[in-house]
Amino acid sequence: MVDYSRTVRAAAVQISPVLFSRDGTTEKVLQAIATAAKEGAQLVVFPETFVPYYPYFSFVQPPVMMGKEHMRLYEEAVEVPGAVTDAVSRAARSYEMVVVLGVNERDRGSIYNTQLIFDADGSLLLKRRKITPTYHERMVWGQGDGAGLTVQDTAVGKVGALACWEHYNPLARFALMAQHEQIHCAQFPGSMVGQIFADQIEVTIRHHALESGCFVVNATGWLSPEQVGQITTDEKLQKVLSGGCHTAIIGPEGTHLCPPITEGEGMAIADLDFSLITKRKRMMDCVGHYSRPDLLQLRLNPSQWSVVSGLQTTGDVVETENGINPIALSQPEFLTLEP
């Protein structure tokens, strides 16, 4: 039985990376976890691909010019498991805190936008990859799969996660809603596009909270003016690497539970009263009394991608009921409408 009488203290961290340094940025993560622990936080969420840093270079450089920066990102990217995950795992266990961290994950010759969920005992519960990188990001990251669209039972409740514009894929969001997520952890890069991006983030996370009837803990990154200068010396391009920050915690009724952070480094902290979930869903439960599965259903392929089907190697191939990995044969449709 799910306990809806509990209260969880959550922290969303707006923070700048140590550009070009995996170790330096990881150290800032560990410091922020310690700071959140002093505030009594039981859950802490960091920005999108925060370790080592979001690939801002791909937003302001043409592909023919970004080879050097792309290679530098490869060199500083995170292996999972590895030294970074070991350090964060120890911190989560030490402070008995659930940690949601975004990293650039290097898997041999590819980099992925990866979200990691660590439980309060330090165990790595989920490694999920952004299913479709956005626009310029497709020059940097590979694609994820349906195996990452899962809600995890953690010490703070049922936790789901999506990155940035994955929130504009309603079926991806519904996949988590259908698993009754209680806390949704959202991650955006921040310091991009200007105020319009910050406004879009707010609309997006507040809508998901309302529709899902859950809490949303959202973290965005931040770049100092000096860091913007490190990324590009072109003053016109520097202007697009500003604003776009909205670190916030939203309740199931779509309201802010603490003041959002829109500039600089900081930490949004709020207490999540789970009784508000029932209060919201009593009126509108999208996967319960307000759903119409006789008319509309989601078809989800939860398999892990593999380039080979039926070959038993290191456990990368997922066995299905008929012994075939459907991903290796074709990419399935995600939505089935039944007349």
Side-chain angles (χ1 to χ4, degrees):
M1 178 68 68
V2 178
D3 181 8
Y4 284 98
S5 65
R6 68 187 305 185
T7 298
V8 168
R9 176 160 288 190
V13 183
Q14 185 158 296
I15 188 171
S16 60
V18 177
L19 287 178
F20 320 126
S21 174
R22 176 183 57 240
D23 293 343
T25 303
T26 301
E27 184 58 34
K28 291 196 70 170
V29 169
L30 300 178
Q31 292 172 1
I33 292 173
T35 299
K38 292 179 181 178
E39 297 292 335
Q42 299 158 276
L43 165 70
V44 61
V45 180
F46 290 90
E48 180 181 12
T49 58
F50 181 63
V51 183
Y53 48 90
Y54 178 84
Y56 291 100
F57 64 85
S58 64
F59 192 59
V60 296
Q61 290 185 354
V64 71
M65 300 295 292
M66 60 181 253
K68 179 180 178 181
E69 291 302 326
H70 199 185
M71 283 300 299
R72 178 149 58 174
L73 184 63
Y74 264 84
E75 293 168 359
E76 297 297 320
V78 175
E79 292 186 347
V80 181
V84 171
T85 57
D86 288 347
V88 176
S89 174
R90 287 193 297 269
R93 182 171 61 251
S94 175
Y95 294 110
E96 298 182 346
M97 188 183 301
V98 175
V99 178
V100 180
L101 177 66
V103 302
N104 289 272
E105 178 203 359
R106 181 173 179 176
D107 186 355
R108 300 174 177 84
S110 297
I111 304 179
Y112 298 92
N113 177 333
T114 297
Q115 293 175 295
L116 306 174
I117 298 180
F118 297 85
D119 208 354
D121 63 359
S123 57
L124 179 57
L125 296 180
L126 181 67
K127 181 192 78 171
R128 71 167 303 270
R129 295 168 173 173
K130 188 173 185 178
I131 53 178
T132 303
T134 303
Y135 194 51
H136 59 285
E137 296 172 351
R138 295 176 191 174
M139 296 297 298
V140 178
W141 298 319
Q143 293 183 317
D145 54 46
L149 293 173
T150 58
V151 169
Q152 301 298 309
D153 288 310
T154 76
V156 297
K158 300 177 76 65
V159 174
L162 291 174
C164 201
W165 278 17
E166 285 187 308
H167 292 89
Y168 292 156
N169 187 325
L171 303 186
R173 292 193 302 106
F174 191 82
L176 302 182
M177 291 163 59
Q179 297 171 64
H180 310 288
E181 66 175 351
Q182 296 167 311
I183 304 174
H184 179 79
C185 298
Q187 299 174 318
F188 287 78
S191 287
M192 288 179 65
V193 187
Q195 184 60 40
I196 189 172
F197 192 34
D199 293 341
Q200 291 171 352
I201 292 172
E202 181 179 20
V203 169
T204 300
I205 61 178
R206 293 182 70 179
H207 176 75
H208 183 71
L210 279 167
E211 194 171 70
S212 182
C214 72
F215 296 95
V216 176
V217 182
N218 180 67
T220 57
W222 181 74
L223 294 175
S224 69
E226 293 76 19
Q227 289 178 313
V228 172
Q230 287 181 275
I231 295 168
T232 177
T233 57
D234 186 324
E235 293 184 0
K236 291 182 179 179
L237 294 178
Q238 287 177 352
K239 292 180 180 179
V240 303
L241 295 180
S242 64
C245 295
H246 195 86
T247 293
I249 300 178
I250 311 296
E253 295 176 309
T255 57
H256 286 273
L257 299 183
C258 61
I261 302 171
T262 59
E263 187 176 356
E265 292 187 302
M267 193 174 294
I269 299 175
D271 292 325
L272 315 184
D273 178 357
F274 276 35
S275 68
L276 294 177
I277 296 176
T278 303
K279 182 181 178 182
R280 172 61 179 168
K281 288 193 172 183
R282 179 185 70 84
M283 296 290 291
M284 199 281 293
D285 185 355
C286 272
V287 295
H289 62 78
Y290 212 72
S291 66
R292 286 296 304 274
D294 54 324
L295 303 178
L296 301 165
Q297 293 183 351
L298 170 68
R299 181 185 176 193
L300 172 67
N301 186 329
S303 300
Q304 182 180 353
W305 281 40
S306 174
V307 295
V308 178
S309 176
L311 178 64
Q312 300 302 316
T313 53
T314 59
D316 290 336
V317 176
V318 177
E319 294 184 2
T320 60
E321 293 181 0
N322 59 5
I324 299 174
N325 182 345
I327 289 293
L329 302 178
S330 64
Q331 186 167 337
E333 296 181 357
F334 272 59
L335 178 65
T336 299
L337 296 176
E338 297 185 358

